Amino acid sequence: MTYSPGLASAFNDTKMRSSLHSPQSGMCSFCTADCIGPCELGLSAVLGAQAVYPTNTGNNQVASEKEYPYDYSHFNIAGRVFGAMGAPADNDQTGIFSVGLERTIGRRHPVKLALPITLPALVKLRYLDYFAGAAMAGVTCVIGEGSPSKDPALTYENGKITHFPHLGEIFDSFRRYDRGYGQIILQCNCEDDKQGLPEYAILKQGGRAIEFKFGQSAKGTQPVQRLSGYEEALAKQQAGLLIHPDPSDPAIIKLHEQGCAPNFYHYGRLPMWDEEYLLRRIESLREMGLENVYFKMTGYTPEDIERVLRLASAAEVDMVTFDGAGGGSGYSPCKMMNEFGYPTVALEAIVVNIARKLHGEGLTLPAIAMTGGFASEDQVFKALAFGAPYVTAVGLCRAAMAAATTAHNIGEAVAKGETPAHLKKYGEGMEVFWELPNLRALYGKEADHFPAGAIGVFSYLQKIANGLRHFGGLTRKFDVSLFDRSDLIPLTAEARRLLDNRW
């Protein structure tokens, strides 16, 4: 059997002409002489190299369409009825709301989390609401790589960022609602680092946390963007970006003068970090005022995973987030989103085994977060239990982004007096958001005027929290730190091998 989809995708609105396709190639099982090419092959016959990427990116988000042979659904949760762990075994004192969900991460500067959740890197769609909702819920959140491109007022001098005012607005979207939990973190890939984004963030905008990006499950390489023509290619090259082919090459200049210039592409530098450089870089940024350091890693080889964890230990990194397949992005090659990296549960098995090895050597490890395809509380519980005691948090990116976007749209409809019909049974006006009383309890009546998108993120994360409390009560474990593999029931042979460390 095949796990990969056929050569049709929502990424680019392609379709298969036939209902049957060849499992190995993904093509229709027969090709007709009169076909006009509605599938990915037809699209590539028109767009060529650019057909590697989704055509529906824009102000949208996309994610893997591949089925995997195992995931967290291969486990059920094991309940208990006798006793209680982490609380008195007295049902008058101990119940669902007794389950503690707070965690603390950090080496030099501890960061409290109200929930064992992080919101991974995002800088599209309702990203300001995403960060605001993270602050309300008391979790960390990450500003995605390449954030300077979001600011039309951005300026460079000698290849370094000199003016990026929108970054202050982004930071403020979290700071405005900061209640002492969580943190807003600025992600930097090697391109951002080269342009001096960390220094600008720390010295000019009061940034206190940086996440260095090694990769993500959908983006092991950086994106390639087709440019409009020679003039744009030359301007971007002069700004310090990588351009292919080289617009300064005399042969290319000659072709341009003849009106025969080829396509030009801007492509991000590959992440090729070096341990010695990063150790020096992190210390120099700490001297400038940086307080917390994070890494973002994906399912590269186990050797690379171990190197990253060893480096994180040496550099006193606060948390490393590991991102499993299938990936999601708006800027990744379609097949990379489907075919790159370890499925998240398999990646977690590898990470935990390496963490156990390094802990046995006496290394002090960072907190570890797992992300990649999580959307519901059962998945979060299983990942925390499977990764115990090393996995501290679970990343919820696309799901939290969807909560921000849909809540914003609902809020706009409510403001027009057009509460969606399917929601009217829950209330009229902003009272349709049932978590508003809890926000008022935290912030006062001003919560009535919070952005609907941010309220949506807060509300979604309260659903995750309430679900985790129920699972904690079910297992009679009344603190999130007590969840472990004994709480999981393997349903398949593959799940049993993963649970028994035979990956």
Side-chain angles (χ1 to χ4, degrees):
M1 64 178 295
T2 181
Y3 293 106
S4 295
L7 295 181
S9 174
F11 300 166
N12 42 37
D13 286 334
T14 50
K15 296 176 175 60
M16 305 295 287
R17 179 188 47 74
S18 171
S19 60
L20 299 175
H21 68 273
S22 174
Q24 290 186 340
S25 69
M27 297 171 62
C28 291
S29 55
F30 67 99
C31 291
T32 64
D34 60 352
C35 182
I36 59 170
C39 71
E40 290 182 9
L41 288 175
L43 187 68
S44 66
V46 175
L47 299 185
Q50 207 60 25
V52 162
Y53 291 92
T55 59
N56 287 337
T57 297
N59 198 29
N60 302 302
Q61 185 79 349
V62 294
S64 172
E65 296 173 336
K66 180 174 180 173
E67 293 187 35
Y68 290 97
Y70 35 70
D71 57 34
Y72 292 95
S73 73
H74 286 230
F75 300 94
N76 265 18
I77 297 168
R80 296 177 179 83
V81 71
F82 294 105
M85 288 167 269
D90 179 343
N91 59 16
D92 285 333
Q93 299 182 60
T94 302
I96 298 302
F97 292 101
S98 305
V99 178
L101 298 178
E102 290 192 14
R103 305 304 297 260
T104 299
I105 62 174
R107 295 283 297 275
R108 302 186 183 188
H109 298 275
V111 177
K112 294 190 298 182
L113 304 178
L115 307 173
I117 298 296
T118 181
L119 301 192
L122 188 73
V123 67
K124 67 185 307 186
L125 293 167
R126 304 297 307 176
Y127 58 94
L128 297 181
D129 289 347
Y130 182 85
F131 304 138
M136 294 174 192
V139 302
T140 60
C141 57
V142 185
I143 306 163
E145 65 182 340
S147 57
S149 66
K150 295 293 180 179
D151 193 345
L154 178 74
T155 60
Y156 294 94
E157 187 174 317
N158 299 321
K160 301 292 185 182
I161 294 170
T162 56
H163 192 57
F164 178 16
H166 185 49
L167 182 59
E169 298 174 33
I170 297 174
F171 281 147
D172 286 346
S173 68
F174 182 94
R175 291 167 175 164
R176 189 176 298 119
Y177 307 101
D178 187 353
R179 58 187 182 90
Y181 288 88
Q183 186 175 45
I184 188 165
I185 305 156
L186 176 64
Q187 187 179 82
C188 290
N189 61 25
C190 57
E191 197 88 62
D192 298 322
D193 186 57
K194 189 178 181 70
Q195 294 171 356
L197 179 59
E199 291 94 332
Y200 181 87
I202 296 165
L203 298 176
K204 301 295 185 181
Q205 299 289 1
R208 291 294 174 262
I210 299 289
E211 179 178 84
F212 289 97
K213 182 172 183 178
F214 293 79
Q216 73 185 66
S217 69
K219 202 184 294 177
T221 63
Q222 292 302 98
V224 175
Q225 298 174 355
R226 180 173 176 264
L227 303 178
S228 61
Y230 179 82
E231 286 74 17
E232 184 183 10
L234 189 61
K236 287 189 176 295
Q237 185 185 62
Q238 291 170 349
L241 304 181
L242 294 178
I243 306 298
H244 176 81
D246 180 1
S248 301
D249 184 336
I252 299 298
I253 295 173
K254 184 176 181 180
L255 284 171
H256 168 62
E257 291 171 346
Q258 295 171 347
C260 298
N263 285 328
F264 292 95
Y265 301 94
H266 158 234
Y267 59 103
R269 290 174 169 86
L270 288 170
M272 294 186 183
W273 298 106
D274 169 81
E275 284 98 334
E276 290 185 8
Y277 168 79
L278 275 171
L279 286 168
R280 293 195 308 271
R281 181 72 165 136
I282 288 167
E283 275 312 304
S284 69
L285 294 174
R286 280 173 170 153
E287 291 171 2
M288 295 179 198
L290 182 67
E291 293 181 354
N292 295 97
V293 182
Y294 300 78
F295 285 169
K296 176 71 173 290
M297 180 61 171
T298 188
Y300 294 121
T301 66
E303 293 79 9
D304 278 13
I305 292 170
E306 181 170 334
R307 283 181 70 172
V308 163
L309 281 175
R310 287 188 181 278
L311 174 60
S313 176
E316 297 186 35
V317 167
D318 297 290
M319 185 162 73
V320 181
T321 298
F322 288 93
D323 190 7
S329 173
Y331 306 103
S332 301
C334 300
K335 299 307 179 187
M336 192 173 289
M337 285 188 280
N338 283 348
E339 307 295 338
F340 167 59
Y342 292 97
T344 307
V345 67
L347 177 60
E348 186 171 19
I350 293 169
V351 169
V352 168
N353 285 345
I354 292 171
R356 185 180 294 114
K357 171 188 172 182
L358 301 185
H359 183 257
E361 294 177 11
L363 298 185
T364 301
L365 294 171
I368 293 172
M370 296 301 305
T371 191
F374 296 103
S376 60
E377 61 270 23
D378 58 304
Q379 297 165 338
V380 172
F381 179 92
K382 292 171 187 178
L384 292 171
F386 187 82
Y390 304 105
V391 173
T392 301
V394 171
L396 299 170
C397 186
R398 201 161 67 103
M401 175 211 70
T405 302
T406 55
H408 169 77
N409 294 338
I410 291 167
E412 285 198 328
V414 165
K416 296 175 184 176
E418 300 171 357
T419 301
H422 72 287
L423 297 177
K424 286 184 177 180
K425 60 185 175 182
Y426 302 119
E428 292 285 347
M430 288 300 286
E431 293 301 324
V432 74
F433 291 100
W434 279 17
E435 289 294 332
L436 257 182
N438 288 330
L439 280 171
R440 291 189 192 112
L442 290 170
Y443 295 95
K445 287 290 188 67
E446 64 184 278
D448 291 340
H449 307 291
F450 286 176
I455 295 172
V457 174
F458 175 84
S459 300
Y460 164 67
L461 292 179
Q462 298 317 298
K463 184 257 191 182
I464 297 295
N466 204 28
L468 287 176
R469 292 189 186 101
H470 279 74
F471 284 128
L474 171 72
T475 59
R476 302 301 189 264
K477 292 185 174 180
F478 292 91
D479 190 85
V480 64
S481 64
L482 299 172
F483 302 168
D484 63 26
R485 292 190 181 187
S486 69
D487 303 319
L488 301 179
I489 301 169
L491 303 180
T492 62
E494 291 85 356
R496 169 52 67 188
R497 283 195 292 271
L498 288 166
L499 206 59
D500 291 345
N501 294 317
R502 290 187 288 119
W503 165 251

